[in-house]
Amino acid sequence: MMLHMDDISVEFPGVLAVDRVSLEVKPGEVRSVVGENGAGKSTLMKVLAGVYPHGEYTGVIRLDGQEQRFSGVADAEASGIVMIPQEMNMVDDRSIAENLFLNRVPSKRGLVDEKEMFSLAEQYLAPVGIDVSPTMLVGELGTAQKQMVAIASALSKRVKVLILDEPTATLSGHESELLFEQIARVSSQGIACLYISHRLEEVLRISDTVTVLRDGELVDTEPSSGLSERRIVEMMIGRKMESFFPPREVEIGEPVFSASGVTVPHPMVPELNVVEDVSFSVRRGEILGVFGLVGAGRTELATALVGHAEGGRFDEIRIRDERVTRIEHPGEAFAHGFGYLPEDRKSMAVVPNLDVARSISMSSLARLVRRGLLDRKREYELAEEYQEHFRIKTRDLSQEIINLSGGNQQKVMLARLMALDLDVLILDEPTQGVDVGAKAEIYRILNEAAGQGKAVILISSDLPEVMGMADRVLVMRRGRVTGEFSAAEATSQQILEAATLNAPTEMSQDVD
Amino acid sequence: MSTEPLSRVQQDARPPADTKSRASFFAGLRWYHVALGLGVLVALVFFNSQTDGVFLSQRNLTLLLKQAAILGVVSAGMVVLIVGRQIDLSAGMAVYLVSVVVAQLSVTFGLPLWLAVAAGIAVGLLLGAFQGFMVARFAIPAFVVTLAGSMIFKGVGYTWTNATAIGPVPQELIWFSEGFIPPVASAILIAAVGALAVWSAVRRGVQLRRWEHREYATVRKVAVVVVLAGAGMWLALGYNGMPMAVLIAGITVFGVSLLLSSTRFGRGVYAVGGNPQAAHLAGLKVPRFLLKSFVLMGAIYGIAGVLMTARLGGAAPTAGQLLELDAIAAAVIGGTSFAGGIGRIPGALLGALLLTGIDNVMSLMNVSSFLQMVIKGTILLAAVWFDLMVRNKRKK
Ligand SMILES: Nc1ncnc2c1ncn2[C@@H]1O[C@H](COP(=O)(O)OP(=O)(O)OP(=O)(O)O)[C@@H](O)[C@H]1O
Ligand SMILES: [Mg+2]
C-alpha cells in the first residue's frame, strides 16, 4: 500500500489554504506534518480523509496507484483512510461502545445487539490499553482516553492510513507516551500514520519522515534522522529563531491574588473531591506555573475560582485589597479583576458563527457602547490591535472564527481575555495547538503582561513551558498541591516526581 | 539543500488571493441567487396574469402589506428567540389575550382608550416576563413553558369572554391599523427614511472600509434601499397612502432589528445561542439574556395585540390562532437556524411577506384555504432545504 497525493490545492474564499502540495507515504511509515498555524496541515489532511470531497480540491490522490475520488468521509474510511480530527467528535452521553461503532452498531433483526456490541468493543479496546468498561459514557472519559477510543474505532475499520491531527495538544507527557506506544504498534502492522503536532521534540522522536508546510506550500520532506528542532523551525518559519523563551527581567511585587481552601467535589462520585483544600497566592509581575497530569484537578481549581465549577467553593479570595468570599459567575471575576481562559476551546470558548472582531470584543463590549449602540469601528480597532499584537492569521476581521486554523482560534480566545485588561490572568493550556513561533509570541505577551504588574497563573501540561516561563511552579496531583518549587532551582525530575508519585502525604510536606 | 527552503521566506505573506472576486458589483452572486430571483419574478408575473392584474396592483399590494404587518412584528420577535435557542409557541394566544384585555377594558368597562391600550401592552409585557422567568430561573425548556403558556392564555381569554367576540372598539383605535397616512405625506416620509438609510449605509461603508473591504456591499445595500423606497412611494401614491398598521409594524421591527444587530443585548443573544457555555465563560449572564428576550417578545405581544384588536375592531375568539407557527415558518424561511446563533430579521420579514403573499394570491385565485395550507407547508420545507444546501456549499 502506497499513498500518493499529487499537486493538491484547496482554495477558500480569500485564502489559498493548500497550494500544489505533493506527498508520498509508505506503508508503516510514520510521517509528521508540521508548519505554522494556518499553514494548511489540517486542510490537507481533510482532503485525504474525504472531509473535502472530490471536486472541492484540485490534484490527485492515489492509493496503490489507483486514483481515489472520495465522495465523503465514509467513502474515505471504506478505502482505509481514517482521520482523528483536531476537534474530536464524540457523543458524550453515549457509551464508549456506541461511539466506537457509531453508525455501524451491530444489530440483530433491526435491534441493537448489545451483547455483541459490548464484546466486540472490549476486543477492540484491549489493544489500545484502556481499561474501562465499554458501557461507560464517553463524557466520563478524559481527553486521552477519548483519543484511545478514537484510535480503537479507527482500527476497527481496517485502517490503512491513520491521520492524527494534533492528538497530543491536550495530553500530558505520560499520556502522550501511551499514545506513542500505540502509534508504534499500529505502524508495525504496516499502517501508515500521518501525524500533526506542534511539539517538535515528539515529532523528531516518533516519526520516520517530516513534511514541512508553509503558507500552504510544501517546503520539504526529509527523514527525521537528519533533522533537529532548530532546523524544523527554520523550515517552518523561513528564518532562524533566536530564543524560544524570551528573557524576563520583571520585578516581582506584592501579592495581588490569593485563594484559600478551594475545594471541588467530584461530579459523579459523592464524598470524593477533585480539588481538595488548595491554597496559593501570586504576586504582581509573577508567573505561577501550575503543573500536573491531566486529571490532577488544575482545571477544576481554576474554574472554581471563577464560579464555573459545579459545587466548587473556597474560603476566600484576596485580589488587591479586596476580599471576596463568593464568585457565582465568570463575569463577576472579571469585575474583580481576574479571569479565566478555558482549556477546551471548542466547547467552552469558541462561538462558531461570530466573526473574529466580535469574538475578540465579546467580553469587553461595555467599553464599545456609545449612546446605547455598539460602535463597530471601535470594535474593529480593538480587534485590529490584538490581531497585530498576536499576529492572528485571518483573511480579515469579519471572517467567521470557525474558519480560522486551530492555533489562530486559540490566539483569538487569548485576545478576548487580554482585552479585558485584568490584573490576574488564569490561563488553562494557553498554547495548546499553537505553533512554535506563535508560542514564543504568546510567551512574549505573557512576559509583557507580567511586566505591567499583572500576575499570570499558567496552567500547563507542557513541562518545558512551565519551567521556561514560570517563576514558581505549583505541582498538583489528585486534587492536592504536592509540591511547590522555584523554577530556577527545581529540576524537571523533581517536578515530575511530585506530579506522579503515589504517596500524597509525604509529598505535600516537602514544599519549597 | 538547506538554503532552498529558506529562500522562500523573502516572498513572505502572499497578497489576498481574492481581489478578483471582490471587485465586482455581482461578487458572491451565485447561480442559485440568480435562479431564485428569476423564479420569484416568473411567479409574480404568472400570478399577476392569473389574477388579471389584480395581484400586482397598488391597491392589492398595499392591502397585502397591511395584512402582513402583524405577522412581520411577531416574526421579528421570533427571530430573537430562535437565535437564542429558544422558541415561542404561545405567541398567537398571547396576542389574543392582549386583544381581549384591550377590548374588554374599552368596550365592557368603558375605560379611556389610552388606558386600555396601555393595559394591553402591560399585559403583553407581563406574559413575556412570566414565560421568560420560568425559562431563565427554573431552566424549564421554552418549548414546554410556551406550550403551557399557549393553553393558559387561550383558556383565560375564553373564560373571560365566554369565547365570544367583544366589540366594537372605538373608531380611534381602529384607525391605528386601518387608517392611512395621506399619499403625499407617505411618499415624503418614505423618501426621507430612504435617504436616511442610504446615508447611514454609506457612512458605515466609509467608516468600516478599512476592515470590511466590501465597497460593493454598500453599493448593493444602497441599490436595495432605493428600489424599496421607490416601490413604497409608487404604492403610496397609487392608492390611499401608507396604512397605519404598516407604519407601526415598520417602527417596531426596525427597533427590534437595531436591538439585535447593534446592542450588547443583541450580541449576547447571538453568543448565547451560538454556544451557551462559551458565552457564560466569556462573562455573559445567560439567564438574563433569555429573560430579556422574552420580555422583548412580551412587548411584541402588546403591540401585535393592539394592532390585532384595531384590525378586527375587537377581540375575536379565533384571533391569533396559528400565528406563532406562521411566525416560526417566516423566521425559518428567512434563514434563522434552530441550532441557534444564526438568523436575521430582514430575512424573516421576507418570509412573512412570502407567506402572506401566498395567502393573498391563493384567495384571489379562489384556491381553497385547505389547499393553501398544503402549499405553505411545501414552501416551508423547500425553503429550509434550499437554505441548508446553500449553507453547506458555502461552508466548504
Ligand atoms: N472553511 C474554511 N473557510 C475559509 N478559510 C479556511 C477554512 N478552513 C481553513 N481555512 C484557512 O485555511 C488556512 C489553513 O488552515 P488549516 O486549518 O489547514 O491550518 P493548520 O495548518 O491546520 O493550522 P493549525 O496548526 O493552527 O491547526 C488558514 O488560513 C485558515 O484560515
Ligand atoms: Mg489544524
Side-chain angles (χ1 to χ4, degrees):
Chain A
M1 200 281 320
M2 185 86 155
L3 170 72
H4 289 269
M5 298 180 85
D6 285 334
D7 256 2
I8 305 285
S9 298
V10 183
E11 189 172 1
F12 297 112
V15 231
L16 191 56
V18 176
D19 187 3
R20 283 163 299 154
V21 173
S22 301
L23 288 185
E24 200 183 297
V25 188
K26 294 194 203 64
E29 178 176 343
V30 178
R31 162 74 56 90
S32 287
V33 180
V34 299
E36 288 183 280
N37 294 130
K41 305 179 294 293
S42 298
T43 308
L44 183 65
M45 294 303 125
K46 285 180 189 168
V47 166
L48 192 53
V51 176
Y52 300 127
H54 182 79
E56 294 191 9
Y57 62 90
T58 58
V60 178
I61 301 174
R62 273 177 294 159
L63 260 180
D64 295 324
Q66 287 256 326
E67 183 177 349
Q68 305 287 334
R69 302 182 163 190
F70 301 130
S71 60
V73 175
D75 194 17
E77 289 188 350
S79 303
I81 302 183
V82 180
M83 169 151 159
I84 300 176
Q86 198 163 0
E87 325 271 359
M88 263 186 294
N89 304 310
M90 290 216 182
V91 192
D92 275 352
D93 53 6
R94 295 270 130 198
S95 70
I96 295 177
E98 281 169 290
N99 271 282
L100 206 50
F101 300 115
L102 276 179
N103 45 17
R104 305 168 297 131
V105 175
S107 59
K108 220 192 249 166
R109 277 180 252 109
L111 298 176
V112 175
D113 184 351
E114 293 214 335
K115 198 163 146 242
E116 172 75 4
M117 179 171 81
F118 288 128
S119 77
L120 261 181
E122 267 174 358
Q123 207 175 311
Y124 283 117
L125 288 172
V128 298
I130 47 174
D131 189 19
V132 290
S133 156
T135 54
M136 213 167 121
L137 298 187
V138 159
E140 293 170 42
L141 298 178
T143 322
Q145 289 173 313
K146 281 188 193 173
Q147 227 136 33
M148 293 304 167
V149 172
I151 291 179
S153 169
L155 294 180
S156 76
K157 293 170 191 162
R158 291 210 189 77
V159 59
K160 291 183 197 161
V161 179
L162 180 64
I163 307 169
L164 298 137
D165 195 352
E166 295 193 33
T168 52
T170 47
L171 298 190
S172 65
H174 171 68
E175 293 163 327
S176 300
E177 291 305 323
L178 296 178
L179 179 73
F180 298 153
E181 278 171 29
Q182 291 308 318
I183 292 178
R185 192 179 68 88
V186 165
S187 68
S188 71
Q189 296 169 4
I191 296 171
C193 290
L194 282 157
Y195 179 80
I196 300 182
S197 175
H198 289 292
R199 299 192 174 167
L200 301 179
E201 75 285 354
E202 35 176 78
V203 163
L204 284 175
R205 232 185 76 199
I206 70 163
S207 52
D208 305 313
T209 41
V210 179
T211 291
V212 183
L213 298 182
R214 190 197 320 143
D215 286 337
E217 292 177 60
L218 179 72
V219 176
D220 208 350
T221 298
E222 287 185 26
S224 60
S225 51
L227 288 171
S228 63
E229 275 186 53
R230 190 167 279 275
R231 173 73 192 127
I232 296 180
V233 171
E234 277 172 29
M235 288 163 76
M236 275 170 55
I237 63 177
R239 61 187 146 81
K240 284 202 173 15
M241 263 230 338
E242 297 84 39
S243 67
F244 193 54
F245 297 110
R248 306 190 58 217
E249 278 149 37
V250 169
E251 219 159 276
I252 295 187
E254 81 278 4
V256 61
F257 181 91
S258 68
S260 63
V262 187
T263 300
V264 182
H266 192 285
M268 245 76 79
V269 188
E271 286 167 43
L272 185 68
N273 288 331
V274 281
V275 177
E276 181 82 59
D277 193 22
V278 170
S279 304
F280 69 94
S281 75
V282 252
R283 295 165 173 274
R284 284 193 183 279
E286 186 180 38
I287 297 183
L288 172 69
V290 181
F291 181 79
L293 304 187
V294 171
R298 297 164 305 161
T299 294
E300 288 78 2
L301 168 65
T303 49
L305 297 177
V306 296
H308 186 64
E310 191 83 23
R313 57 184 186 272
F314 50 81
D315 294 340
E316 71 164 22
I317 286 177
R318 275 178 187 281
I319 168 114
R320 292 180 309 268
D321 299 326
E322 245 181 291
R323 191 171 157 270
V324 182
T325 51
R326 268 185 95 82
I327 296 278
E328 306 226 320
H329 187 276
E332 281 173 29
F334 294 159
H336 287 295
F338 65 103
Y340 170 66
L341 176 77
E343 165 190 34
D344 185 345
R345 184 172 62 230
K346 185 184 179 190
S347 72
M348 311 209 331
V350 170
V351 179
N353 296 294
L354 295 190
D355 64 22
V356 175
R358 287 179 163 94
S359 299
I360 292 177
S361 68
M362 192 168 152
S363 297
S364 20
L365 288 180
R367 61 189 162 107
L368 300 177
V369 175
R370 204 183 270 166
R371 276 181 265 124
L373 298 183
L374 290 170
D375 186 338
R376 187 79 171 138
K377 179 158 177 262
R378 273 171 40 186
E379 177 170 53
Y380 274 126
E381 283 164 356
L382 173 82
E384 193 170 42
E385 185 188 325
Y386 284 94
Q387 183 193 10
E388 278 163 14
H389 206 61
F390 288 23
R391 293 188 207 152
I392 296 169
K393 191 179 163 193
T394 169
R395 185 193 71 201
D396 54 30
L397 291 169
S398 47
Q399 171 75 289
E400 285 180 9
I401 183 162
I402 202 73
N403 291 336
L404 264 59
S405 76
N408 283 297
Q409 290 183 19
Q410 182 67 21
K411 291 192 228 166
V412 171
M413 295 305 118
L414 192 55
R416 178 192 291 166
L417 190 67
M418 299 294 276
L420 281 160
D421 195 21
L422 302 168
D423 279 333
V424 180
L425 303 168
I426 308 172
L427 310 175
D428 203 346
E429 308 283 0
T431 60
Q432 60 160 298
V434 169
D435 71 49
V436 265
K439 250 186 204 172
E441 249 156 56
I442 289 179
Y443 297 150
R444 190 203 77 222
I445 289 161
L446 297 188
N447 275 335
E448 213 177 89
Q452 292 161 4
K454 299 176 190 301
V456 177
I457 300 169
L458 173 65
I459 301 177
S460 175
S461 310
D462 185 349
L463 189 53
E465 170 172 297
V466 170
M467 301 207 43
M469 285 302 294
D471 301 295
R472 195 154 53 94
V473 183
L474 218 57
V475 181
M476 283 184 71
R477 185 166 48 76
R478 296 206 181 156
R480 292 168 194 271
V481 173
T482 51
E484 187 180 330
F485 306 90
S486 143
E489 289 154 23
T491 64
S492 44
Q493 191 59 33
Q494 285 173 305
I495 293 181
L496 271 174
E497 263 172 25
T500 50
L501 267 188
N502 274 324
T505 36
E506 65 188 62
M507 282 310 303
S508 55
Q509 304 306 318
D510 68 53
V511 164
D512 209 0
Chain B
M1 183 177 108
S2 66
T3 50
E4 192 273 324
L6 282 180
S7 63
R8 283 194 200 176
V9 209
Q10 268 78 16
Q11 305 157 13
D12 226 336
R14 72 184 66 241
D18 69 328
T19 34
K20 184 182 51 186
S21 65
R22 273 182 200 159
S24 142
F25 182 69
F26 298 105
L29 210 64
R30 303 279 159 79
W31 64 267
Y32 43 78
H33 294 134
V34 180
L36 196 66
L38 280 179
V40 169
L41 208 66
V42 168
L44 288 181
V45 171
F46 171 75
F47 288 126
N48 197 39
S49 69
Q50 286 293 302
T51 55
D52 297 322
V54 174
F55 178 50
L56 290 185
S57 69
Q58 286 145 310
R59 175 176 181 279
N60 187 54
L61 289 180
T62 303
L63 295 182
L64 194 159
L65 285 178
K66 185 167 71 109
Q67 214 183 335
I70 292 176
L71 179 57
V73 171
V74 177
S75 310
M78 199 61 85
V79 170
V80 176
L81 288 176
I82 299 180
V83 165
R85 287 198 191 181
Q86 308 300 307
I87 187 80
D88 183 1
L89 298 177
S90 74
M93 288 306 111
V95 168
Y96 164 67
L97 187 53
V98 168
S99 159
V100 166
V101 170
V102 175
Q104 286 282 30
L105 292 188
S106 72
V107 178
T108 314
F109 294 88
L111 257 54
L113 194 56
W114 67 268
L115 199 59
V117 167
I121 291 180
V123 166
L125 279 170
L126 212 68
L127 300 183
F130 164 71
Q131 300 192 117
F133 182 74
M134 300 309 276
V135 170
R137 181 74 180 79
F138 302 114
I140 307 175
F143 186 91
V144 176
V145 170
T146 60
L147 184 63
S150 163
M151 297 174 185
I152 295 171
F153 304 158
K154 184 176 183 175
V156 170
Y158 277 17
T159 309
W160 194 9
T161 62
N162 246 329
T164 56
I166 307 290
V169 292
Q171 207 54 42
E172 294 94 309
L173 181 59
I174 293 180
W175 181 78
F176 273 103
S177 168
E178 305 302 288
F180 283 90
I181 303 174
V184 176
S186 304
I188 293 174
L189 181 67
I190 293 171
V193 170
L196 209 66
V198 167
W199 176 76
S200 89
V202 170
R203 200 178 75 126
R204 185 195 148 100
V206 170
Q207 250 188 7
L208 305 184
R209 190 175 43 196
R210 191 160 142 220
W211 300 284
E212 296 197 330
H213 336 269
R214 294 191 204 126
E215 290 76 10
Y216 285 93
T218 307
V219 176
R220 255 187 265 172
K221 228 189 261 173
V222 170
V224 169
V225 171
V226 169
V227 169
L228 286 183
M233 285 161 74
W234 173 71
L235 284 181
L237 292 172
Y239 184 55
N240 284 349
M242 187 196 282
M244 279 303 294
V246 172
L247 180 69
I248 293 176
I251 294 172
T252 310
V253 170
F254 175 76
V256 178
S257 198
L258 198 65
L259 271 179
L260 190 59
S261 67
S262 311
T263 63
R264 285 178 76 185
F265 164 73
R267 282 301 176 74
V269 170
Y270 279 104
V272 165
N275 184 345
Q277 201 176 6
H280 173 78
L281 274 158
L284 305 183
K285 300 207 159 72
V286 177
R288 197 174 289 183
F289 282 98
L290 300 185
L291 178 62
K292 281 186 190 167
S293 309
F294 275 100
V295 171
L296 175 67
M297 194 59 172
I300 285 175
Y301 298 156
I303 294 168
V306 172
L307 278 180
M308 181 78 86
T309 321
R311 177 159 126 201
L312 303 177
T318 52
Q321 265 176 30
L322 300 187
L323 178 60
E324 65 281 347
L325 296 188
D326 277 343
I328 294 169
V332 171
I333 289 173
T336 304
S337 157
F338 275 114
I342 304 174
R344 293 178 58 226
I345 286 177
L349 279 190
L350 278 182
L353 273 181
L354 183 71
L355 291 175
T356 317
I358 292 168
D359 272 348
N360 176 279
V361 88
M362 296 288 141
S363 322
L364 288 178
M365 289 168 64
N366 283 323
V367 178
S368 88
S369 62
F370 307 133
L371 202 56
Q372 288 184 25
M373 292 188 212
V374 176
I375 293 173
K376 274 170 41 176
T378 312
I379 288 191
L380 174 61
L381 266 184
V384 174
W385 169 78
F386 185 78
D387 184 55
L388 279 178
M389 193 186 68
V390 171
R391 227 188 269 283
N392 281 337
K393 272 245 149 48
R394 216 175 333 164
K395 222 176 10 196
K396 298 289 171 61

